[in-house]
């Protein structure tokens, strides 16, 4: 209980500040003045109907090309990251667990992980991790996620099942230890056992120093990853903000209430 | 976008061709141009036996009647053969007995290239023959090799010390009249490497030759001859570099491999000749004829090449599978960037029964470059149960490059099985973004993805060189994105 209080106190510091963000793709505006603040140590969930702008938000946060920010700003831990390159944001400690992880043939998962860890360390002015320390870290982290050596030696995500791909995203999350992670529909394509494993991995990272933004369509994931705050995103803006109970409410009543605001043909 | 521009600028500043320096070493040059007198001069410089001079002159005569091969898929300005030096030798390179006698300046050149000959002699256990412009400057480890009967020396020395061997095999796999470039080589070749592995000997170390073109307007015409007797094994690697120059330089080499019964030759190339600048100015014309023959039953020849340099590459390392149950392999990575052009592939000629061949070709094109795979699989009437498997994959980076696959299959035996698979793909924006989100910058991400694409081939390189080749892939693609 005391620890809980301690965390709450800490949480006055805002890790993420999104101010009046407008973003478009192919000339079509998808985010229409979105504002959001996530204090340090908190887990926020974003729920919303298809086409509300959830995935766009995850891409804009991580700097994907093709998404144009027309106005507004994003800051992370005091840095204005609005126009930063994706790798610069990663070096600062921002992470995105992809909804659709890409395949890279011939690049083994383990080689990819090591390259990523050392790129981040290099960008931060730290020494590269030697092979033995890396293997130790990898062993400790993979066991509980049920990631097998066979998966690590295959080409990145090549021939992985939907569930394996998601587990691989979480493996990268726990290996790279970012200070802010966006989880984009990490629950989609997972059966209940895999969902439990993945949630356990994510929960193990929860700390007073780390914030999360969990994007999901369904309440189910939030049974396992308890959010501090739930936001409803529809038509490119936050329509409503509440506690964990808001997710249950949405599960019961659906998004109909918000969807009437949504214009036709929005992009996911 | 601003960030992409930055990446490009940084890449440009870094300079993408590390081997592009010129060394100021006192040279002895024959007069420019080509005629009978020049050939006689080269011949006397090399102390040729009479038969070799005759051979050269015959080649020269024939060469004048030949046309340049025009079927390859590249555009090339006409070569002015009279504007080339055919002989350039460092003045102090007269047959050094050991490394201590080699001009320290030349050793320095190799050190700069990452091939410290002295250290390699003592530590790495790789025997090196270093060819500088027209002549071999040093061959390391020869005493140790001699103990097991392996001959590893420059071909000029072999001409004097082992004349019967050289005479028997020179031009036996690539006939003097094979093609215009090979014919020119026969007329003017100045040096190269000679390897002989006696019966039943497994060569105790990797053998390698480093070719370096240093002098301006000089052609390099070397010949390599490798003979593996019954039941022997050798792994050989060649590496090539040249300074950055505005004019194009010609490299027309010939490599001949002979594998007897149960012998195996593994031949690897890391080719990094100067590719020209980002506007396509300068660079090496790399016209190479490489061919091996599996003479005896169960012989095996395996070519592995990583081709990243040269303005134009024209090369088809081939295998003649004459012995029954003999095996030919070709593993290739060819990378072209800016205005480079590569037309490369292999020929697998199945003559014996139960012969098998395997071709894995990976072409990567970036910038305005063009990369073509051209391969012939021929199964003769007698090649019962011949098998071939060919896989050609192309990877495109950007919008302005091209990749082409031109397979020729000629099958005259009903029992043969010939398979060909081909794919073409692009490096996806999504793949790049994924890597960058994990902290890997764009240049490194491209190198990572391309190395993954080439993995099947890189696995066949000797370990010592795999790392070098991986780095080279990264360097050759610098500035290809953004």
């Amino acid at each position: 209980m005391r620890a809980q209080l301690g965390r709450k106190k800490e949480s006055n510091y805002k890790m993420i500040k999104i101010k009046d963000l407008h973003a478009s793709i192919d000339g079509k505006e998808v985010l229409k003045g979105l504002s959001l603040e996530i204090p340090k140590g908190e887990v926020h969930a974003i729920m919303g109907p298809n086409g509300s702008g959830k995935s766009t938000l995850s891409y804009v946060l991580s700097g994907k090309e093709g998404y144009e920010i027309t106005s507004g700003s994003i800051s992370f831990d005091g840095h204005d990251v609005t126009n930063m390159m994706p790798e610069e944001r990663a070096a600062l400690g921002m992470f995105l667990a992809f909804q659709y992880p890409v395949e890279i043939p011939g690049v083994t998962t383990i080689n990819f992980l090591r390259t990523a860890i050392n790129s981040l360390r290099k960008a931060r002015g730290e020494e590269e991790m030697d092979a033995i320390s890396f293997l130790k870290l990898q062993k400790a982290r993979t066991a509980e996620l049920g990631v097998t050596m066979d998966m690590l030696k295959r080409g990145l995500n090549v021939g992985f099942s939907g569930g394996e791909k998601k587990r691989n995203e979480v493996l990268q999350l726990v290996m790279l230890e970012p200070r802010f992670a966006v989880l984009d529909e990490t629950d989609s394509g997972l059966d209940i056992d895999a969902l439990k494993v993945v949630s356990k991995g994510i929960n193990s990272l929860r700390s007073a120093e780390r914030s999360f933004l969990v994007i999901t369509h369904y309440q189910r994931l939030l049974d396992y990853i308890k959010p501090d705050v739930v936001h409803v995103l529809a038509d490119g803006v936050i329509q409503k903000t509440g506690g964990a109970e808001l997710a249950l409410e949405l599960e019961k009543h659906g998004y109909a209430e918000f969807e009437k605001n949504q214009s036709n043909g929005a992009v996911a | 976008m601003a960030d992409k521009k930055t990446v490009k600028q940084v890449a440009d500043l870094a300079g993408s061709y590390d081997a592009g320096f010129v060394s100021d070493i006192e040279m002895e040059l024959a007069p420019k141009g080509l005629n009978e007198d020049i050939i006689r001069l080269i011949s006397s410089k090399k102390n040729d036996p009479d038969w070799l001079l005759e051979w050269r002159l015959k080649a020269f005569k024939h060469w004048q009647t030949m046309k340049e091969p025009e079927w390859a898929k590249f555009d090339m300005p006409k070569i002015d053969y009279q504007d080339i030096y055919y002989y350039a030798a460092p003045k102090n390179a007269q047959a050094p007995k050991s490394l201590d006698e080699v001009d320290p300046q030349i050793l320095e050149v190799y050190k700069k290239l990452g091939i410290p000959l002295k250290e390699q002699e003592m530590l790495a256990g790789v025997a090196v023959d270093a060819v500088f412009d027209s002549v071999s400057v040093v061959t390391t480890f020869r005493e140790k090799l001699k103990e097991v009967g392996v001959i590893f020396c420059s071909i000029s020395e072999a001409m004097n010390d082992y004349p019967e061997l050289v005479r028997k095999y020179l031009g036996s796999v690539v006939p003097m009249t094979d093609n215009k470039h090979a014919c020119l080589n026969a007329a003017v070749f100045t040096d190269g490497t000679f390897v002989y592995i006696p019966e039943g000997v497994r060569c105790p170390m990797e053998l390698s030759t480093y070719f370096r073109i240093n002098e301006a307007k000089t052609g390099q015409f070397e010949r390599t001859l490798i003979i593996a007797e019954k039941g022997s094994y050798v792994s050989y690697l060649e590496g090539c570099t040249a300074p950055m120059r505005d004019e194009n330089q010609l490299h027309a080499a010939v490599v001949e491999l002979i594998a007897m019964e149960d012998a195996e030759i593994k031949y690897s190339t890391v080719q990094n000749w100067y590719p020209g600048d980002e506007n396509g100015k300068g660079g090496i014309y790399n016209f190479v004829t490489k061919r091996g023959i599996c003479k005896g039953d169960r012989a095996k020849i395996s070519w592995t090449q990583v081709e990243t340099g040269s303005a134009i590459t024209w090369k088809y390392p081939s295998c003649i599978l004459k012995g029954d149950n003999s095996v030919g392999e070709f593993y290739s990575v060819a990378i072209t960037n800016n205005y480079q052009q590569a037309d490369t592939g292999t020929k697998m000629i199945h003559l014996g029964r139960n012969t098998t061949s395997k071709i894995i070709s990976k072409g990567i094109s970036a910038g305005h470059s063009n990369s073509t795979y051209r391969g012939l699989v021929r199964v003769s009437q007698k090649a019962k149960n011949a098998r071939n498997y060919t896989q050609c994959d192309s990877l495109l980076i950007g919008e302005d490059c091209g990749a082409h696959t031109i397979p020729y299959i000629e099958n005259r035996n009903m029992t043969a099985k010939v398979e060909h698979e081909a794919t073409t793909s692009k490096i996806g924006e999504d793949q790049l973004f994924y890597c960058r989100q994990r902290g890997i910058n764009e240049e490194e991400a491209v190198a990572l993805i391309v190395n993954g694409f080439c993995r099947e081939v890189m696995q066949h390189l000797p370990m010592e060189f795999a790392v070098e080749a991986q780095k080279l892939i990264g360097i050759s693609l610098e500035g290809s994105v953004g």
Side-chain angles (χ1 to χ4, degrees):
Chain A
M1 205 56 202
R2 279 179 76 165
Q4 191 86 63
L5 283 173
R7 208 179 88 194
K8 285 285 177 221
K9 220 174 186 181
E10 182 76 30
S11 72
N12 288 326
Y13 179 71
K14 305 286 189 283
M15 188 77 118
I16 285 281
K17 285 190 224 170
I18 304 172
K19 265 190 215 155
D20 191 29
L21 192 67
H22 292 257
S24 32
I25 178 161
D26 297 330
K28 184 169 171 41
E29 186 164 71
V30 181
L31 300 182
K32 303 170 180 173
L34 184 144
S35 294
L36 181 67
E37 291 189 339
I38 305 175
K40 202 172 186 177
E42 286 196 3
V43 175
H44 285 211
I46 284 208
M47 301 181 73
N50 290 326
S52 58
K54 297 194 302 285
S55 284
T56 298
L57 177 62
S58 76
Y59 289 145
V60 169
L61 278 172
S62 40
K64 189 174 187 180
E65 273 170 36
Y67 290 82
E68 199 193 344
I69 295 177
T70 46
S71 70
S73 67
I74 305 166
S75 87
F76 166 66
D77 199 17
H79 302 270
D80 183 355
V81 300
T82 318
N83 296 310
M84 269 190 194
M85 292 199 275
E87 56 268 37
E88 292 172 325
R89 301 179 199 218
L92 287 175
M94 298 175 78
F95 182 91
L96 168 63
F98 284 69
Q99 184 180 4
Y100 304 109
V102 303
E103 299 184 0
I104 306 184
V107 176
T108 60
T109 304
I110 195 153
N111 180 24
F112 181 78
L113 270 170
R114 194 159 172 224
T115 309
I117 283 185
N118 282 330
S119 294
L120 289 171
R121 292 174 80 105
K122 217 165 97 188
R124 293 167 188 162
E126 298 165 7
E127 266 190 48
E128 289 200 0
M129 191 183 269
D130 64 80
I132 293 168
S133 316
F134 172 78
L135 285 175
K136 261 190 194 161
L137 181 70
Q138 167 261 314
K139 255 194 179 152
R141 297 290 155 85
T142 45
E144 53 190 37
L145 286 171
V147 172
T148 58
M149 210 49 213
D150 171 61
M151 264 173 79
L152 290 172
K153 283 183 176 168
R154 271 190 274 161
L156 186 72
N157 292 321
V158 178
F160 283 29
S161 69
E164 282 176 328
K165 283 183 182 171
K166 292 302 171 74
R167 263 189 282 162
N168 192 19
E169 290 298 292
V170 176
L171 171 65
Q172 294 178 51
L173 171 68
V174 300
M175 291 286 288
L176 301 181
E177 300 186 306
R179 289 184 300 140
F180 171 64
V182 180
L183 310 175
D184 189 3
E185 310 232 2
T186 299
D187 50 334
S188 67
L190 289 185
D191 62 32
I192 197 74
D193 291 325
L195 186 64
K196 280 181 187 168
V197 171
V198 161
S199 306
K200 203 177 146 199
I202 295 166
N203 283 327
S204 74
L205 277 190
R206 287 181 77 156
S207 86
E209 297 302 314
R210 190 172 282 126
S211 310
F212 288 88
L213 183 62
V214 182
I215 294 174
T216 182
H217 193 72
Y218 302 105
Q219 193 269 337
R220 187 178 73 150
L221 177 67
L222 304 181
D223 285 342
Y224 299 95
I225 304 171
K226 291 264 182 286
D228 296 299
V229 176
V230 175
H231 307 275
V232 179
L233 175 64
D235 197 24
V237 290
I238 301 291
Q239 304 273 359
K240 195 172 181 183
T241 295
E245 70 288 347
L246 179 56
L248 294 166
E249 219 174 278
L250 287 168
E251 185 78 354
K252 220 183 264 170
H253 304 295
Y255 295 108
E257 180 192 340
F258 306 104
E259 264 176 317
K260 60 178 180 252
N261 298 327
Q262 193 161 332
S263 50
N264 291 326
V267 178
Chain B
M1 265 174 92
D3 46 276
K4 278 201 166 182
K5 218 166 148 190
T6 320
V7 169
K8 176 90 170 64
Q9 279 166 347
V10 171
D12 288 347
L13 273 178
S16 47
Y17 190 71
D18 285 344
F21 59 89
V22 182
S23 308
D24 190 13
I25 286 164
E26 234 189 306
M27 299 293 288
E28 185 180 29
L29 291 163
K32 219 190 248 180
L34 188 57
N35 53 48
E36 262 195 45
D37 290 339
I38 293 285
I39 289 166
R40 283 179 198 281
L41 178 75
I42 292 171
S43 189
S44 75
K45 281 277 172 208
K46 305 307 296 179
N47 281 328
D48 279 353
D50 291 344
W51 67 266
L52 190 55
L53 174 62
E54 291 309 312
W55 198 66
R56 287 180 188 278
L57 290 172
K58 201 170 144 199
F60 178 62
K61 221 173 201 167
H62 190 78
W63 176 77
Q64 288 168 299
T65 68
M66 290 179 97
K67 276 192 174 162
E68 270 161 51
E70 279 169 351
W71 38 263
K73 193 171 170 48
F74 50 69
D75 308 313
M76 194 183 63
K78 223 173 148 37
I79 299 172
D80 182 357
Y81 289 99
Q82 299 306 333
D83 194 35
I84 295 172
Y85 290 107
Y86 289 85
Y87 183 79
K91 264 198 174 148
N92 302 322
Q94 302 300 351
K97 294 280 177 302
S98 75
L99 272 176
D100 299 327
E101 290 176 30
V102 177
D103 186 342
Q105 260 185 296
I106 292 178
L107 291 181
E108 196 56 36
V109 171
Y110 283 94
K111 200 171 167 186
K112 248 172 145 175
L113 292 170
I115 315 146
L117 295 168
K118 271 207 153 150
E119 280 89 345
Q120 236 167 1
E121 183 177 57
M122 284 183 283
L123 301 170
V126 177
V128 179
D129 183 16
V131 176
F132 197 82
D133 288 335
S134 302
V135 295
S136 169
V137 287
V138 66
T139 309
T140 61
F141 271 117
R142 29 208 317 179
E143 289 310 312
K144 196 171 169 206
L145 289 166
K146 225 175 200 170
E147 280 169 29
V148 287
V150 171
I151 303 169
F152 178 48
C153 64
S154 74
I155 204 153
S156 328
E157 286 169 84
M159 215 70 82
N160 289 312
D161 299 351
Y162 315 97
E164 338 62 53
L165 271 178
V166 177
R167 193 171 182 178
K168 184 169 171 194
Y169 290 109
L170 194 76
S172 71
V173 191
V174 179
M176 169 211 290
T177 53
D178 191 80
N179 64 71
K180 185 156 188 176
H181 305 307
C183 190
L184 176 64
N185 176 290
V188 302
F189 80 93
T190 41
D191 220 329
T193 307
F194 177 76
V195 176
Y196 177 82
I197 317 288
E199 186 174 331
V201 169
R202 202 183 155 82
C203 187
M205 61 183 79
E206 303 276 346
L207 303 183
S208 70
T209 300
Y210 271 90
F211 294 104
R212 170 76 178 167
I213 298 180
N214 192 56
E215 195 60 28
K217 296 219 165 191
T218 305
Q220 190 168 48
F221 308 95
E222 83 276 3
R223 280 189 95 90
T224 302
L225 179 57
I226 299 178
I227 302 152
E229 292 284 10
K230 196 172 162 185
S232 68
Y233 168 85
V234 63
S235 168
Y236 177 90
L237 181 122
E238 61 173 6
C240 334
T241 58
M244 294 193 206
R245 292 188 191 283
D246 282 350
E247 78 269 25
N248 297 100
Q249 283 179 287
L250 181 62
H251 173 247
V254 172
V255 175
E256 297 177 283
L257 311 182
I258 295 122
M260 301 301 191
E261 207 178 312
D262 292 304
E264 180 177 349
I265 302 175
K266 192 172 152 53
Y267 193 106
S268 315
T269 303
V270 176
Q271 186 263 108
N272 183 27
W273 294 120
Y274 178 52
D277 68 9
E278 66 277 10
N279 300 313
K281 197 165 167 56
I284 300 288
Y285 293 155
N286 191 33
F287 302 142
V288 175
T289 307
K290 291 181 168 177
R291 197 172 301 153
I293 181 165
C294 289
K295 262 198 152 155
D297 294 350
R298 296 170 302 278
K300 180 176 174 184
I301 288 177
S302 177
W303 298 100
T304 304
Q305 61 174 25
V306 176
E307 303 279 322
T308 63
S310 298
I312 299 177
T313 296
W314 178 96
K315 115 177 228 218
Y316 316 88
S318 306
C319 299
I320 301 169
L321 303 171
K322 191 170 174 226
D324 291 346
N325 299 85
S326 61
V327 178
E329 291 174 340
F330 175 72
Y331 302 100
S332 170
V333 169
I335 298 182
T336 52
N337 194 2
N338 297 319
Y339 286 87
Q340 280 177 274
Q341 308 179 79
D343 192 304
T344 182
T346 184
K347 286 189 265 183
M348 293 292 175
I349 313 294
H350 292 258
L351 301 176
R353 283 173 299 171
N354 305 315
T355 46
T356 54
S357 63
K358 185 174 171 186
I359 300 168
I360 308 284
S361 164
K362 306 273 180 178
I364 299 112
S365 321
H368 297 267
S369 71
N370 261 302
S371 172
T372 302
Y373 166 82
R374 187 184 303 275
L376 167 69
V377 176
R378 178 183 290 155
V379 179
S380 75
Q381 256 170 334
K382 287 180 184 160
K384 213 173 141 197
N385 291 322
R387 293 279 178 274
N388 163 265
Y389 173 74
T390 301
Q391 186 189 325
C392 292
D393 299 320
S394 307
L395 186 68
L396 300 168
I397 303 172
E399 306 293 330
D400 303 314
C401 54
H404 317 272
T405 300
I406 308 175
Y408 304 80
I409 297 169
E410 299 172 9
N411 186 1
R412 296 207 173 78
N413 190 300
M414 292 283 283
T415 61
K417 211 183 229 175
V418 179
E419 289 174 76
H420 181 95
E421 285 181 29
T423 65
T424 302
S425 52
K426 281 188 77 166
I427 288 193
E429 282 295 318
D430 284 345
Q431 284 177 322
L432 284 177
F433 174 62
Y434 190 88
C435 294
R436 295 176 73 188
Q437 204 298 308
R438 298 300 186 249
I440 304 165
N441 71 40
E442 199 162 16
E443 300 268 330
E444 278 177 54
V446 169
L448 185 75
I449 293 166
V450 169
N451 269 308
F453 175 77
C454 304
R455 192 160 166 243
E456 269 173 286
V457 172
M458 304 294 265
Q459 281 171 339
H460 292 277
L461 280 181
M463 243 242 283
E464 299 89 324
F465 301 104
V467 180
E468 194 182 333
Q470 263 188 30
K471 280 192 201 141
L472 198 54
I473 287 178
I475 292 168
S476 11
L477 288 170
E478 265 173 21
S480 64
V481 285

